[in-house]
Amino acid sequence: MTLPKIVSAEEWQAARDELLIEEKAATRALDALAAKRRRLPMVEFRTDYVFDGAAGKADLLDLFDGRRQLIAYHFMLEPGGEACRGCSSFTDNIGNLAHLHARDTTFVLTSRAPLAEIESVRRRMGWTVPWYSTAGGADFNGDCGARIDQGFGLSVFLRDGDRAFRTYFTTSRGVDRIRPDFELLDLTPYGRQETWEDSPEGWPQTPPYGWWRYHDEYL
């Protein structure tokens, strides 16, 4: 297997310092994007969706669980279908929600599959994050932009009394960037080891998505 170039400690530090300049510039650019994101306008969103959760029926306001902000991940699990492996690995990366709760923010998953199918996946995977079915009402995921033919997505809402407003939506690489496993792999010499990456000749690479498994399927 091809290896990175071996150099002296002094040469390594010089190369690391050079890259650090670019990393700091990227951090400042991300901070600037976040500042613009906080200044996005918002649109009022209907609240009469019917969700089915572990505690029973709920509407959109109930999903906030008494908090001001709501992040909803639109998980690809269709009725009678198989849980998306990408969505599953994303969910594996969700940590203790107490840190979000401390900033008045709730995080949930929503899927079109009936609650019984959701609970079957949840038990297998050992997840505790709140997960709601939208099978009993209007297509919440589709209305948010995560349509059946367009896959997953992540929406952000702000509550003001009995009104809910949508402030943000992202999908695809916008969701990738908040996954700790991908961010950690991006720090390693071989990266995510996928063919789309710009890596030196001879680096190990396989087609995107093909290596993803449920966490209990890796050997």
Side-chain angles (χ1 to χ4, degrees), residues 43-80:
V43 60
E44 189 159 9
F45 216 71
R46 57 181 289 193
T47 62
D48 61 345
Y49 292 95
V50 179
F51 298 93
D52 195 8
K57 300 295 183 182
D59 62 16
L60 182 58
L61 295 179
D62 293 325
L63 265 59
F64 283 80
D65 197 22
R67 301 183 181 90
R68 190 75 184 273
Q69 300 185 126
L70 171 69
I71 302 171
Y73 179 78
H74 309 295
F75 190 113
M76 292 173 62
L77 177 58
E78 303 300 328

PDB file of all heavy atoms in Angstrom, residues 43-80:
ATOM      1  N   VAL A  43     -39.834  31.254   7.117  1.00  0.00           N
ATOM      2  CA  VAL A  43     -41.156  31.150   6.528  1.00  0.00           C
ATOM      3  C   VAL A  43     -42.054  30.387   7.493  1.00  0.00           C
ATOM      4  O   VAL A  43     -41.629  29.395   8.104  1.00  0.00           O
ATOM      5  CB  VAL A  43     -41.102  30.455   5.157  1.00  0.00           C
ATOM      6  CG1 VAL A  43     -40.524  29.044   5.271  1.00  0.00           C
ATOM      7  CG2 VAL A  43     -42.472  30.413   4.500  1.00  0.00           C
ATOM      8  N   GLU A  44     -43.285  30.861   7.667  1.00  0.00           N
ATOM      9  CA  GLU A  44     -44.187  30.161   8.573  1.00  0.00           C
ATOM     10  C   GLU A  44     -44.547  28.799   8.004  1.00  0.00           C
ATOM     11  O   GLU A  44     -44.724  28.641   6.790  1.00  0.00           O
ATOM     12  CB  GLU A  44     -45.450  30.985   8.831  1.00  0.00           C
ATOM     13  CG  GLU A  44     -46.319  30.389   9.926  1.00  0.00           C
ATOM     14  CD  GLU A  44     -47.272  31.379  10.561  1.00  0.00           C
ATOM     15  OE1 GLU A  44     -47.388  32.513  10.046  1.00  0.00           O
ATOM     16  OE2 GLU A  44     -47.873  31.026  11.597  1.00  0.00           O
ATOM     17  N   PHE A  45     -44.632  27.809   8.875  1.00  0.00           N
ATOM     18  CA  PHE A  45     -44.858  26.433   8.468  1.00  0.00           C
ATOM     19  C   PHE A  45     -46.093  25.906   9.180  1.00  0.00           C
ATOM     20  O   PHE A  45     -46.314  26.198  10.361  1.00  0.00           O
ATOM     21  CB  PHE A  45     -43.638  25.573   8.837  1.00  0.00           C
ATOM     22  CG  PHE A  45     -43.319  24.496   7.848  1.00  0.00           C
ATOM     23  CD1 PHE A  45     -42.806  24.806   6.599  1.00  0.00           C
ATOM     24  CD2 PHE A  45     -43.524  23.161   8.154  1.00  0.00           C
ATOM     25  CE1 PHE A  45     -42.497  23.819   5.679  1.00  0.00           C
ATOM     26  CE2 PHE A  45     -43.225  22.163   7.254  1.00  0.00           C
ATOM     27  CZ  PHE A  45     -42.702  22.493   6.004  1.00  0.00           C
ATOM     28  N   ARG A  46     -46.884  25.110   8.492  1.00  0.00           N
ATOM     29  CA  ARG A  46     -48.080  24.553   9.111  1.00  0.00           C
ATOM     30  C   ARG A  46     -47.688  23.643  10.273  1.00  0.00           C
ATOM     31  O   ARG A  46     -46.628  23.016  10.259  1.00  0.00           O
ATOM     32  CB  ARG A  46     -48.904  23.768   8.092  1.00  0.00           C
ATOM     33  CG  ARG A  46     -48.146  22.640   7.406  1.00  0.00           C
ATOM     34  CD  ARG A  46     -49.004  21.919   6.390  1.00  0.00           C
ATOM     35  NE  ARG A  46     -50.037  21.119   7.033  1.00  0.00           N
ATOM     36  CZ  ARG A  46     -50.744  20.195   6.371  1.00  0.00           C
ATOM     37  NH1 ARG A  46     -50.529  19.998   5.071  1.00  0.00           N
ATOM     38  NH2 ARG A  46     -51.652  19.492   7.004  1.00  0.00           N
ATOM     39  N   THR A  47     -48.544  23.590  11.267  1.00  0.00           N
ATOM     40  CA  THR A  47     -48.224  22.804  12.471  1.00  0.00           C
ATOM     41  C   THR A  47     -49.144  21.606  12.663  1.00  0.00           C
ATOM     42  O   THR A  47     -48.959  20.849  13.612  1.00  0.00           O
ATOM     43  CB  THR A  47     -48.327  23.695  13.727  1.00  0.00           C
ATOM     44  OG1 THR A  47     -49.664  24.172  13.857  1.00  0.00           O
ATOM     45  CG2 THR A  47     -47.363  24.863  13.632  1.00  0.00           C
ATOM     46  N   ASP A  48     -50.119  21.411  11.771  1.00  0.00           N
ATOM     47  CA  ASP A  48     -51.121  20.373  12.000  1.00  0.00           C
ATOM     48  C   ASP A  48     -50.752  19.013  11.404  1.00  0.00           C
ATOM     49  O   ASP A  48     -51.630  18.171  11.174  1.00  0.00           O
ATOM     50  CB  ASP A  48     -52.477  20.823  11.448  1.00  0.00           C
ATOM     51  CG  ASP A  48     -52.446  21.077   9.941  1.00  0.00           C
ATOM     52  OD1 ASP A  48     -51.333  21.179   9.377  1.00  0.00           O
ATOM     53  OD2 ASP A  48     -53.540  21.182   9.339  1.00  0.00           O
ATOM     54  N   TYR A  49     -49.475  18.794  11.138  1.00  0.00           N
ATOM     55  CA  TYR A  49     -49.040  17.465  10.714  1.00  0.00           C
ATOM     56  C   TYR A  49     -49.342  16.458  11.826  1.00  0.00           C
ATOM     57  O   TYR A  49     -49.286  16.792  13.017  1.00  0.00           O
ATOM     58  CB  TYR A  49     -47.542  17.455  10.414  1.00  0.00           C
ATOM     59  CG  TYR A  49     -47.163  18.253   9.197  1.00  0.00           C
ATOM     60  CD1 TYR A  49     -46.738  19.574   9.314  1.00  0.00           C
ATOM     61  CD2 TYR A  49     -47.214  17.708   7.928  1.00  0.00           C
ATOM     62  CE1 TYR A  49     -46.386  20.321   8.199  1.00  0.00           C
ATOM     63  CE2 TYR A  49     -46.867  18.436   6.809  1.00  0.00           C
ATOM     64  CZ  TYR A  49     -46.455  19.742   6.949  1.00  0.00           C
ATOM     65  OH  TYR A  49     -46.110  20.475   5.839  1.00  0.00           O
ATOM     66  N   VAL A  50     -49.626  15.221  11.424  1.00  0.00           N
ATOM     67  CA  VAL A  50     -49.889  14.167  12.399  1.00  0.00           C
ATOM     68  C   VAL A  50     -48.678  13.236  12.448  1.00  0.00           C
ATOM     69  O   VAL A  50     -48.371  12.543  11.477  1.00  0.00           O
ATOM     70  CB  VAL A  50     -51.152  13.360  12.037  1.00  0.00           C
ATOM     71  CG1 VAL A  50     -51.368  12.252  13.063  1.00  0.00           C
ATOM     72  CG2 VAL A  50     -52.362  14.273  11.978  1.00  0.00           C
ATOM     73  N   PHE A  51     -47.985  13.267  13.572  1.00  0.00           N
ATOM     74  CA  PHE A  51     -46.832  12.395  13.795  1.00  0.00           C
ATOM     75  C   PHE A  51     -47.220  11.304  14.786  1.00  0.00           C
ATOM     76  O   PHE A  51     -48.038  11.524  15.672  1.00  0.00           O
ATOM     77  CB  PHE A  51     -45.653  13.186  14.362  1.00  0.00           C
ATOM     78  CG  PHE A  51     -45.150  14.274  13.460  1.00  0.00           C
ATOM     79  CD1 PHE A  51     -45.629  15.582  13.587  1.00  0.00           C
ATOM     80  CD2 PHE A  51     -44.196  14.015  12.498  1.00  0.00           C
ATOM     81  CE1 PHE A  51     -45.171  16.588  12.767  1.00  0.00           C
ATOM     82  CE2 PHE A  51     -43.726  15.021  11.669  1.00  0.00           C
ATOM     83  CZ  PHE A  51     -44.223  16.309  11.805  1.00  0.00           C
ATOM     84  N   ASP A  52     -46.612  10.152  14.628  1.00  0.00           N
ATOM     85  CA  ASP A  52     -46.831   9.042  15.551  1.00  0.00           C
ATOM     86  C   ASP A  52     -45.493   8.723  16.211  1.00  0.00           C
ATOM     87  O   ASP A  52     -44.533   8.345  15.535  1.00  0.00           O
ATOM     88  CB  ASP A  52     -47.354   7.829  14.789  1.00  0.00           C
ATOM     89  CG  ASP A  52     -47.957   6.769  15.698  1.00  0.00           C
ATOM     90  OD1 ASP A  52     -48.105   7.047  16.908  1.00  0.00           O
ATOM     91  OD2 ASP A  52     -48.260   5.665  15.204  1.00  0.00           O
ATOM     92  N   GLY A  53     -45.421   8.918  17.529  1.00  0.00           N
ATOM     93  CA  GLY A  53     -44.179   8.672  18.253  1.00  0.00           C
ATOM     94  C   GLY A  53     -44.372   7.725  19.408  1.00  0.00           C
ATOM     95  O   GLY A  53     -45.479   7.221  19.640  1.00  0.00           O
ATOM     96  N   ALA A  54     -43.317   7.487  20.141  1.00  0.00           N
ATOM     97  CA  ALA A  54     -43.364   6.539  21.259  1.00  0.00           C
ATOM     98  C   ALA A  54     -44.390   6.944  22.308  1.00  0.00           C
ATOM     99  O   ALA A  54     -44.950   6.094  23.001  1.00  0.00           O
ATOM    100  CB  ALA A  54     -41.981   6.418  21.885  1.00  0.00           C
ATOM    101  N   ALA A  55     -44.654   8.253  22.425  1.00  0.00           N
ATOM    102  CA  ALA A  55     -45.604   8.737  23.427  1.00  0.00           C
ATOM    103  C   ALA A  55     -46.993   8.963  22.848  1.00  0.00           C
ATOM    104  O   ALA A  55     -47.872   9.496  23.535  1.00  0.00           O
ATOM    105  CB  ALA A  55     -45.095  10.021  24.061  1.00  0.00           C
ATOM    106  N   GLY A  56     -47.207   8.591  21.575  1.00  0.00           N
ATOM    107  CA  GLY A  56     -48.512   8.749  20.961  1.00  0.00           C
ATOM    108  C   GLY A  56     -48.504   9.772  19.837  1.00  0.00           C
ATOM    109  O   GLY A  56     -47.451  10.107  19.285  1.00  0.00           O
ATOM    110  N   LYS A  57     -49.680  10.271  19.494  1.00  0.00           N
ATOM    111  CA  LYS A  57     -49.832  11.229  18.400  1.00  0.00           C
ATOM    112  C   LYS A  57     -49.270  12.595  18.793  1.00  0.00           C
ATOM    113  O   LYS A  57     -49.305  12.986  19.960  1.00  0.00           O
ATOM    114  CB  LYS A  57     -51.305  11.374  18.018  1.00  0.00           C
ATOM    115  CG  LYS A  57     -51.975  10.088  17.565  1.00  0.00           C
ATOM    116  CD  LYS A  57     -51.366   9.560  16.272  1.00  0.00           C
ATOM    117  CE  LYS A  57     -52.110   8.303  15.813  1.00  0.00           C
ATOM    118  NZ  LYS A  57     -51.522   7.735  14.572  1.00  0.00           N
ATOM    119  N   ALA A  58     -48.767  13.294  17.808  1.00  0.00           N
ATOM    120  CA  ALA A  58     -48.175  14.614  18.058  1.00  0.00           C
ATOM    121  C   ALA A  58     -48.340  15.481  16.817  1.00  0.00           C
ATOM    122  O   ALA A  58     -48.495  14.973  15.696  1.00  0.00           O
ATOM    123  CB  ALA A  58     -46.696  14.471  18.411  1.00  0.00           C
ATOM    124  N   ASP A  59     -48.314  16.793  17.022  1.00  0.00           N
ATOM    125  CA  ASP A  59     -48.243  17.711  15.886  1.00  0.00           C
ATOM    126  C   ASP A  59     -46.845  18.326  15.857  1.00  0.00           C
ATOM    127  O   ASP A  59     -45.981  17.973  16.668  1.00  0.00           O
ATOM    128  CB  ASP A  59     -49.339  18.770  15.955  1.00  0.00           C
ATOM    129  CG  ASP A  59     -49.239  19.671  17.188  1.00  0.00           C
ATOM    130  OD1 ASP A  59     -48.179  19.701  17.843  1.00  0.00           O
ATOM    131  OD2 ASP A  59     -50.234  20.361  17.490  1.00  0.00           O
ATOM    132  N   LEU A  60     -46.617  19.237  14.941  1.00  0.00           N
ATOM    133  CA  LEU A  60     -45.265  19.792  14.793  1.00  0.00           C
ATOM    134  C   LEU A  60     -44.814  20.524  16.057  1.00  0.00           C
ATOM    135  O   LEU A  60     -43.648  20.419  16.465  1.00  0.00           O
ATOM    136  CB  LEU A  60     -45.206  20.731  13.588  1.00  0.00           C
ATOM    137  CG  LEU A  60     -43.834  21.351  13.291  1.00  0.00           C
ATOM    138  CD1 LEU A  60     -42.772  20.273  13.064  1.00  0.00           C
ATOM    139  CD2 LEU A  60     -43.915  22.279  12.076  1.00  0.00           C
ATOM    140  N   LEU A  61     -45.725  21.243  16.695  1.00  0.00           N
ATOM    141  CA  LEU A  61     -45.344  21.957  17.912  1.00  0.00           C
ATOM    142  C   LEU A  61     -44.934  20.985  19.014  1.00  0.00           C
ATOM    143  O   LEU A  61     -44.024  21.274  19.801  1.00  0.00           O
ATOM    144  CB  LEU A  61     -46.496  22.844  18.390  1.00  0.00           C
ATOM    145  CG  LEU A  61     -46.877  23.998  17.463  1.00  0.00           C
ATOM    146  CD1 LEU A  61     -48.044  24.775  18.055  1.00  0.00           C
ATOM    147  CD2 LEU A  61     -45.688  24.927  17.218  1.00  0.00           C
ATOM    148  N   ASP A  62     -45.582  19.822  19.069  1.00  0.00           N
ATOM    149  CA  ASP A  62     -45.224  18.824  20.075  1.00  0.00           C
ATOM    150  C   ASP A  62     -43.792  18.335  19.896  1.00  0.00           C
ATOM    151  O   ASP A  62     -43.108  17.994  20.866  1.00  0.00           O
ATOM    152  CB  ASP A  62     -46.170  17.619  20.013  1.00  0.00           C
ATOM    153  CG  ASP A  62     -47.590  17.973  20.424  1.00  0.00           C
ATOM    154  OD1 ASP A  62     -47.753  18.814  21.326  1.00  0.00           O
ATOM    155  OD2 ASP A  62     -48.527  17.395  19.827  1.00  0.00           O
ATOM    156  N   LEU A  63     -43.328  18.289  18.636  1.00  0.00           N
ATOM    157  CA  LEU A  63     -41.975  17.786  18.379  1.00  0.00           C
ATOM    158  C   LEU A  63     -40.912  18.673  19.023  1.00  0.00           C
ATOM    159  O   LEU A  63     -39.807  18.211  19.318  1.00  0.00           O
ATOM    160  CB  LEU A  63     -41.724  17.681  16.874  1.00  0.00           C
ATOM    161  CG  LEU A  63     -41.980  16.307  16.245  1.00  0.00           C
ATOM    162  CD1 LEU A  63     -43.419  15.862  16.468  1.00  0.00           C
ATOM    163  CD2 LEU A  63     -41.646  16.323  14.757  1.00  0.00           C
ATOM    164  N   PHE A  64     -41.225  19.952  19.252  1.00  0.00           N
ATOM    165  CA  PHE A  64     -40.268  20.843  19.904  1.00  0.00           C
ATOM    166  C   PHE A  64     -40.013  20.424  21.353  1.00  0.00           C
ATOM    167  O   PHE A  64     -38.997  20.795  21.935  1.00  0.00           O
ATOM    168  CB  PHE A  64     -40.796  22.282  19.891  1.00  0.00           C
ATOM    169  CG  PHE A  64     -40.666  22.991  18.581  1.00  0.00           C
ATOM    170  CD1 PHE A  64     -41.573  22.760  17.560  1.00  0.00           C
ATOM    171  CD2 PHE A  64     -39.645  23.904  18.370  1.00  0.00           C
ATOM    172  CE1 PHE A  64     -41.472  23.426  16.344  1.00  0.00           C
ATOM    173  CE2 PHE A  64     -39.530  24.584  17.163  1.00  0.00           C
ATOM    174  CZ  PHE A  64     -40.451  24.335  16.145  1.00  0.00           C
ATOM    175  N   ASP A  65     -40.942  19.681  21.928  1.00  0.00           N
ATOM    176  CA  ASP A  65     -40.813  19.192  23.308  1.00  0.00           C
ATOM    177  C   ASP A  65     -40.573  20.339  24.292  1.00  0.00           C
ATOM    178  O   ASP A  65     -39.764  20.232  25.221  1.00  0.00           O
ATOM    179  CB  ASP A  65     -39.686  18.159  23.398  1.00  0.00           C
ATOM    180  CG  ASP A  65     -39.752  17.317  24.669  1.00  0.00           C
ATOM    181  OD1 ASP A  65     -40.848  17.219  25.255  1.00  0.00           O
ATOM    182  OD2 ASP A  65     -38.709  16.773  25.078  1.00  0.00           O
ATOM    183  N   GLY A  66     -41.265  21.456  24.062  1.00  0.00           N
ATOM    184  CA  GLY A  66     -41.177  22.597  24.973  1.00  0.00           C
ATOM    185  C   GLY A  66     -40.002  23.515  24.725  1.00  0.00           C
ATOM    186  O   GLY A  66     -39.834  24.511  25.443  1.00  0.00           O
ATOM    187  N   ARG A  67     -39.181  23.213  23.726  1.00  0.00           N
ATOM    188  CA  ARG A  67     -38.003  24.048  23.451  1.00  0.00           C
ATOM    189  C   ARG A  67     -38.285  25.017  22.302  1.00  0.00           C
ATOM    190  O   ARG A  67     -39.260  24.903  21.590  1.00  0.00           O
ATOM    191  CB  ARG A  67     -36.790  23.164  23.164  1.00  0.00           C
ATOM    192  CG  ARG A  67     -36.469  22.245  24.343  1.00  0.00           C
ATOM    193  CD  ARG A  67     -35.222  21.408  24.109  1.00  0.00           C
ATOM    194  NE  ARG A  67     -35.007  20.542  25.266  1.00  0.00           N
ATOM    195  CZ  ARG A  67     -35.522  19.306  25.378  1.00  0.00           C
ATOM    196  NH1 ARG A  67     -36.231  18.795  24.375  1.00  0.00           N
ATOM    197  NH2 ARG A  67     -35.302  18.590  26.464  1.00  0.00           N
ATOM    198  N   ARG A  68     -37.380  25.942  22.116  1.00  0.00           N
ATOM    199  CA  ARG A  68     -37.586  27.026  21.142  1.00  0.00           C
ATOM    200  C   ARG A  68     -37.192  26.607  19.725  1.00  0.00           C
ATOM    201  O   ARG A  68     -37.791  27.044  18.744  1.00  0.00           O
ATOM    202  CB  ARG A  68     -36.758  28.245  21.581  1.00  0.00           C
ATOM    203  CG  ARG A  68     -37.052  29.517  20.805  1.00  0.00           C
ATOM    204  CD  ARG A  68     -38.372  30.128  21.222  1.00  0.00           C
ATOM    205  NE  ARG A  68     -38.721  31.302  20.423  1.00  0.00           N
ATOM    206  CZ  ARG A  68     -38.323  32.539  20.700  1.00  0.00           C
ATOM    207  NH1 ARG A  68     -37.553  32.758  21.764  1.00  0.00           N
ATOM    208  NH2 ARG A  68     -38.702  33.542  19.951  1.00  0.00           N
ATOM    209  N   GLN A  69     -36.172  25.754  19.609  1.00  0.00           N
ATOM    210  CA  GLN A  69     -35.657  25.378  18.303  1.00  0.00           C
ATOM    211  C   GLN A  69     -35.810  23.876  18.086  1.00  0.00           C
ATOM    212  O   GLN A  69     -35.741  23.092  19.027  1.00  0.00           O
ATOM    213  CB  GLN A  69     -34.178  25.772  18.163  1.00  0.00           C
ATOM    214  CG  GLN A  69     -33.933  27.260  18.327  1.00  0.00           C
ATOM    215  CD  GLN A  69     -32.496  27.640  18.071  1.00  0.00           C
ATOM    216  OE1 GLN A  69     -32.207  28.508  17.259  1.00  0.00           O
ATOM    217  NE2 GLN A  69     -31.568  27.008  18.784  1.00  0.00           N
ATOM    218  N   LEU A  70     -35.982  23.500  16.810  1.00  0.00           N
ATOM    219  CA  LEU A  70     -36.142  22.088  16.448  1.00  0.00           C
ATOM    220  C   LEU A  70     -35.304  21.781  15.220  1.00  0.00           C
ATOM    221  O   LEU A  70     -35.357  22.505  14.218  1.00  0.00           O
ATOM    222  CB  LEU A  70     -37.614  21.783  16.155  1.00  0.00           C
ATOM    223  CG  LEU A  70     -37.913  20.402  15.546  1.00  0.00           C
ATOM    224  CD1 LEU A  70     -37.652  19.300  16.566  1.00  0.00           C
ATOM    225  CD2 LEU A  70     -39.360  20.338  15.039  1.00  0.00           C
ATOM    226  N   ILE A  71     -34.525  20.706  15.306  1.00  0.00           N
ATOM    227  CA  ILE A  71     -33.797  20.169  14.156  1.00  0.00           C
ATOM    228  C   ILE A  71     -34.428  18.827  13.825  1.00  0.00           C
ATOM    229  O   ILE A  71     -34.479  17.936  14.685  1.00  0.00           O
ATOM    230  CB  ILE A  71     -32.297  20.002  14.452  1.00  0.00           C
ATOM    231  CG1 ILE A  71     -31.670  21.332  14.865  1.00  0.00           C
ATOM    232  CG2 ILE A  71     -31.571  19.431  13.234  1.00  0.00           C
ATOM    233  CD1 ILE A  71     -30.242  21.192  15.391  1.00  0.00           C
ATOM    234  N   ALA A  72     -34.919  18.674  12.601  1.00  0.00           N
ATOM    235  CA  ALA A  72     -35.558  17.427  12.180  1.00  0.00           C
ATOM    236  C   ALA A  72     -34.763  16.810  11.036  1.00  0.00           C
ATOM    237  O   ALA A  72     -34.587  17.449   9.984  1.00  0.00           O
ATOM    238  CB  ALA A  72     -36.991  17.687  11.745  1.00  0.00           C
ATOM    239  N   TYR A  73     -34.287  15.592  11.258  1.00  0.00           N
ATOM    240  CA  TYR A  73     -33.585  14.869  10.188  1.00  0.00           C
ATOM    241  C   TYR A  73     -34.587  13.960   9.495  1.00  0.00           C
ATOM    242  O   TYR A  73     -35.224  13.113  10.126  1.00  0.00           O
ATOM    243  CB  TYR A  73     -32.424  14.048  10.749  1.00  0.00           C
ATOM    244  CG  TYR A  73     -31.688  13.277   9.670  1.00  0.00           C
ATOM    245  CD1 TYR A  73     -30.786  13.927   8.833  1.00  0.00           C
ATOM    246  CD2 TYR A  73     -31.921  11.927   9.466  1.00  0.00           C
ATOM    247  CE1 TYR A  73     -30.120  13.242   7.823  1.00  0.00           C
ATOM    248  CE2 TYR A  73     -31.263  11.234   8.461  1.00  0.00           C
ATOM    249  CZ  TYR A  73     -30.367  11.897   7.642  1.00  0.00           C
ATOM    250  OH  TYR A  73     -29.730  11.214   6.632  1.00  0.00           O
ATOM    251  N   HIS A  74     -34.722  14.128   8.198  1.00  0.00           N
ATOM    252  CA  HIS A  74     -35.664  13.355   7.404  1.00  0.00           C
ATOM    253  C   HIS A  74     -34.989  12.046   6.970  1.00  0.00           C
ATOM    254  O   HIS A  74     -34.231  12.000   6.001  1.00  0.00           O
ATOM    255  CB  HIS A  74     -36.122  14.168   6.195  1.00  0.00           C
ATOM    256  CG  HIS A  74     -36.597  15.546   6.565  1.00  0.00           C
ATOM    257  ND1 HIS A  74     -37.721  15.747   7.340  1.00  0.00           N
ATOM    258  CD2 HIS A  74     -36.080  16.773   6.306  1.00  0.00           C
ATOM    259  CE1 HIS A  74     -37.899  17.054   7.510  1.00  0.00           C
ATOM    260  NE2 HIS A  74     -36.914  17.689   6.894  1.00  0.00           N
ATOM    261  N   PHE A  75     -35.260  11.003   7.722  1.00  0.00           N
ATOM    262  CA  PHE A  75     -34.609   9.701   7.589  1.00  0.00           C
ATOM    263  C   PHE A  75     -35.319   8.892   6.496  1.00  0.00           C
ATOM    264  O   PHE A  75     -36.527   8.737   6.509  1.00  0.00           O
ATOM    265  CB  PHE A  75     -34.689   8.979   8.946  1.00  0.00           C
ATOM    266  CG  PHE A  75     -33.879   7.733   9.064  1.00  0.00           C
ATOM    267  CD1 PHE A  75     -32.790   7.685   9.925  1.00  0.00           C
ATOM    268  CD2 PHE A  75     -34.208   6.592   8.360  1.00  0.00           C
ATOM    269  CE1 PHE A  75     -32.037   6.528  10.056  1.00  0.00           C
ATOM    270  CE2 PHE A  75     -33.469   5.425   8.487  1.00  0.00           C
ATOM    271  CZ  PHE A  75     -32.388   5.402   9.338  1.00  0.00           C
ATOM    272  N   MET A  76     -34.546   8.334   5.578  1.00  0.00           N
ATOM    273  CA  MET A  76     -35.109   7.559   4.477  1.00  0.00           C
ATOM    274  C   MET A  76     -35.484   6.148   4.946  1.00  0.00           C
ATOM    275  O   MET A  76     -34.652   5.240   4.999  1.00  0.00           O
ATOM    276  CB  MET A  76     -34.108   7.479   3.329  1.00  0.00           C
ATOM    277  CG  MET A  76     -33.861   8.794   2.622  1.00  0.00           C
ATOM    278  SD  MET A  76     -32.520   8.702   1.400  1.00  0.00           S
ATOM    279  CE  MET A  76     -33.187   7.494   0.257  1.00  0.00           C
ATOM    280  N   LEU A  77     -36.738   6.006   5.327  1.00  0.00           N
ATOM    281  CA  LEU A  77     -37.316   4.702   5.658  1.00  0.00           C
ATOM    282  C   LEU A  77     -38.753   4.744   5.177  1.00  0.00           C
ATOM    283  O   LEU A  77     -39.620   5.335   5.819  1.00  0.00           O
ATOM    284  CB  LEU A  77     -37.239   4.420   7.158  1.00  0.00           C
ATOM    285  CG  LEU A  77     -37.877   3.101   7.626  1.00  0.00           C
ATOM    286  CD1 LEU A  77     -37.237   1.898   6.928  1.00  0.00           C
ATOM    287  CD2 LEU A  77     -37.737   2.941   9.143  1.00  0.00           C
ATOM    288  N   GLU A  78     -38.990   4.138   4.008  1.00  0.00           N
ATOM    289  CA  GLU A  78     -40.308   4.139   3.415  1.00  0.00           C
ATOM    290  C   GLU A  78     -41.129   2.959   3.941  1.00  0.00           C
ATOM    291  O   GLU A  78     -40.568   1.962   4.412  1.00  0.00           O
ATOM    292  CB  GLU A  78     -40.205   4.060   1.889  1.00  0.00           C
ATOM    293  CG  GLU A  78     -39.375   5.181   1.263  1.00  0.00           C
ATOM    294  CD  GLU A  78     -39.935   6.562   1.542  1.00  0.00           C
ATOM    295  OE1 GLU A  78     -41.167   6.683   1.645  1.00  0.00           O
ATOM    296  OE2 GLU A  78     -39.137   7.518   1.665  1.00  0.00           O
ATOM    297  N   PRO A  79     -42.445   3.019   3.883  1.00  0.00           N
ATOM    298  CA  PRO A  79     -43.274   1.902   4.340  1.00  0.00           C
ATOM    299  C   PRO A  79     -42.891   0.589   3.650  1.00  0.00           C
ATOM    300  O   PRO A  79     -42.820   0.526   2.419  1.00  0.00           O
ATOM    301  CB  PRO A  79     -44.690   2.338   3.948  1.00  0.00           C
ATOM    302  CG  PRO A  79     -44.634   3.828   3.922  1.00  0.00           C
ATOM    303  CD  PRO A  79     -43.260   4.158   3.417  1.00  0.00           C
ATOM    304  N   GLY A  80     -42.602  -0.419   4.447  1.00  0.00           N
ATOM    305  CA  GLY A  80     -42.223  -1.717   3.907  1.00  0.00           C
ATOM    306  C   GLY A  80     -40.825  -1.774   3.339  1.00  0.00           C
ATOM    307  O   GLY A  80     -40.417  -2.799   2.771  1.00  0.00           O
TER     308      GLY A  80
END
